[in-house]
Amino acid sequence: MTDFEDIVRGRYSCRAYSAEVPSEEQIKAVLEDARLAPSACNRQPWRFLVIGPDDSEGRKALLDSYQRDWLATAQTFIVVCGVPSEAWVRPYDGKSHLDIDVAIATEHICLSATAHGLGTCWVCHFDPEKLVKGLSLPDEFVPMVIVPIGYAAEGSKVPVKQRKSLDEIVLNR
């Protein structure tokens, strides 16, 4: 198995974090990998906001926008924002690729974090109004994903993945 396959199989939605804070170097490496993500017409319509353990106002905004006890166990968060005005729009039907581009960058964050020994979780079920207000985000930035990032709590392990078989998802002609 390649390193990439190990990373893909090792990534999971971590919902319990230790008190150990990821290093600044680890976070920068993860952000660098996200920066390199592909996007439609290379528009890169994303912004990343890091909320660390010392940012009490930022933590409060995050925890107010998504009120789950497990989220508070994370020490660091990356808020992935989209910039709609920068996204490529398909001319045939007006389809914005903002969601797609942000999703690719977010998964780069999650896979890179896994490669650096860190856990993550996609959090999209949050109140965006509370987050925008609490983080004082500019109007042009739309918060799309909260990614808690840190060391998994002791005893955490990669769960058995329940996925459809290839026969169920590959179309044949």
Side-chain angles (χ1 to χ4, degrees):
M1 197 172 343
T2 67
D3 289 340
F4 182 73
E5 290 168 328
D6 290 338
I7 292 166
V8 169
R9 285 169 176 73
R11 192 222 60 83
Y12 70 101
S13 296
C14 181
R15 290 188 178 88
Y17 297 87
S18 78
E20 186 177 355
V21 178
S23 72
E24 188 174 322
E25 292 77 22
Q26 287 173 306
I27 298 300
K28 282 184 178 178
V30 167
L31 292 171
E32 176 64 16
D33 289 342
R35 184 184 73 81
L36 296 173
S39 62
C41 294
N42 198 29
R43 295 285 183 93
Q44 304 167 55
W46 50 61
R47 299 295 184 278
F48 309 115
L49 175 63
V50 178
I51 306 292
D54 297 331
D55 184 350
S56 58
E57 287 181 25
R59 285 183 65 80
K60 181 179 180 344
L62 288 166
L63 299 176
D64 285 348
S65 73
Y66 182 69
Q67 298 178 359
R68 303 294 188 280
D69 291 340
W70 71 264
L71 190 65
T73 67
Q75 301 300 310
T76 305
F77 304 87
I78 299 173
V79 179
V80 184
C81 296
V83 186
S85 65
E86 294 181 8
W88 180 76
V89 176
R90 186 168 49 209
Y92 302 102
D93 60 1
K95 164 74 174 113
S96 170
H97 279 243
L98 182 66
D99 286 352
I100 295 166
D101 291 343
V102 167
I104 295 167
T106 301
E107 190 58 10
H108 270 55
I109 287 170
C110 295
L111 292 173
S112 178
T114 300
H116 287 90
L118 302 171
T120 59
C121 184
W122 281 70
V123 176
C124 296
H125 184 192
F126 59 88
D127 184 330
E129 275 188 41
K130 284 184 179 181
L131 199 56
V132 166
K133 185 176 179 184
L135 297 176
S136 302
L137 291 173
D139 290 342
E140 66 268 22
F141 298 163
V142 177
M144 299 180 75
V145 186
I146 298 170
V147 181
I149 182 169
Y151 292 96
E154 190 174 329
S156 296
K157 61 182 180 176
V158 179
V160 174
K161 294 188 187 254
Q162 301 293 322
R163 300 294 190 267
K164 293 178 181 180
S165 71
L166 283 177
D167 291 339
E168 294 175 275
I169 61 172
V170 176
L171 301 176
N172 294 308
R173 285 186 41 88

